Amino acid sequence: DGATVLRGEGVPQLHELGNRPILLVTDASDAAGDLRALARWRAEAAPYVVAVDGGADVALKAHLTLDAVIGDAELMSEKAIRKARSFIVRVGGDGLAPGSERLDRMGIVYDSVAMSGTSLDAAMVVAAHSDASAVVTAGVSYGEAELVDAGRSLVAPAFFSRLACGSRLIGAHDLLYPITSLFTSLSHLAGGTQ
């Protein structure tokens, strides 16, 4: 996966992105709240919306345009699939592409990215190898606990997909409360708790 994740080989392009920021929307329980909190930024920045799995329905409920959907079509509504301007599925090391059969039955044209990990990892890799000025996430956690909870086989793809995004990767909380996030990060570095 190194050539894909770190060098972008075989990674589909996001059409009509330009250098706009990407808003990456997941189906995590806090994604809708993050989107509400980001309303002003969304209006000012006009981000390119990339939804992951069921995040497509979360984005639709927030009245966002689905510029791209990345992930398993079985985890979202037919409405979300039909509203997506483009679709990318992740093909795992086993050759399986979750959700691709549903897209084929619906006659939806899609691209694919071959890599291990999750749909979120694939979305971050696609975003990392785009011209986006930033990748702002709604419903994504970045702590060590999330990586440990992912399980051994998913730790490397999660870590390296985030690494590929580099400093362009910004959580909603960090965008909204940069000073608080800075002090929290410094506290963690100093050995304190959150």
Side-chain angles (χ1 to χ4, degrees):
D1 288 354
T4 301
V5 175
L6 299 177
R7 292 190 299 276
E9 293 178 15
V11 174
Q13 295 298 303
L14 296 174
H15 304 288
E16 301 177 13
L17 169 65
N19 68 348
R20 291 165 44 198
I22 289 174
L23 175 58
L24 193 65
V25 182
T26 70
D27 61 352
S29 60
D30 55 347
D34 285 351
L35 290 176
R36 283 190 299 277
L38 289 169
R40 182 174 175 183
W41 174 81
R42 289 180 4 226
E44 293 171 1
Y48 186 95
V49 177
V50 175
V52 180
D53 293 337
D57 288 303
V58 174
L60 282 182
K61 286 180 185 172
H63 307 289
L64 297 174
T65 299
L66 296 174
D67 294 305
V69 174
I70 300 175
D72 184 346
E74 296 293 343
L75 301 176
M76 63 196 72
S77 67
E78 182 174 340
K79 179 180 179 182
I81 294 169
R82 299 244 183 244
K83 293 270 187 181
R85 291 183 175 170
S86 65
F87 213 104
I88 300 171
V89 297
R90 183 190 61 80
V91 180
D94 55 6
L96 298 176
S100 62
E101 290 178 6
R102 183 177 187 197
L103 296 174
D104 291 337
R105 284 192 310 271
M106 293 175 68
I108 303 294
V109 176
Y110 57 90
D111 286 316
S112 63
V113 59
M115 62 175 282
S116 55
T118 65
S119 298
L120 177 59
D121 300 331
M124 287 198 183
V125 167
V126 170
H129 296 290
S130 71
D131 293 328
S133 57
V135 181
V136 177
T137 61
V140 179
S141 298
Y142 297 100
E144 305 87 21
E146 287 76 23
L147 286 176
V148 171
D149 289 345
R152 186 176 180 165
S153 65
L154 297 178
V155 171
F159 175 78
F160 284 108
S161 64
R162 285 155 176 79
L163 181 66
C165 285
S167 62
R168 294 184 300 160
L169 185 60
I170 305 166
H173 188 268
D174 296 329
L175 182 69
L176 295 168
Y177 311 105
I179 299 300
T180 303
S181 296
L182 172 66
F183 286 122
T184 300
S185 297
L186 290 174
S187 174
H188 281 294
L189 288 173
T193 59
Q194 193 171 17

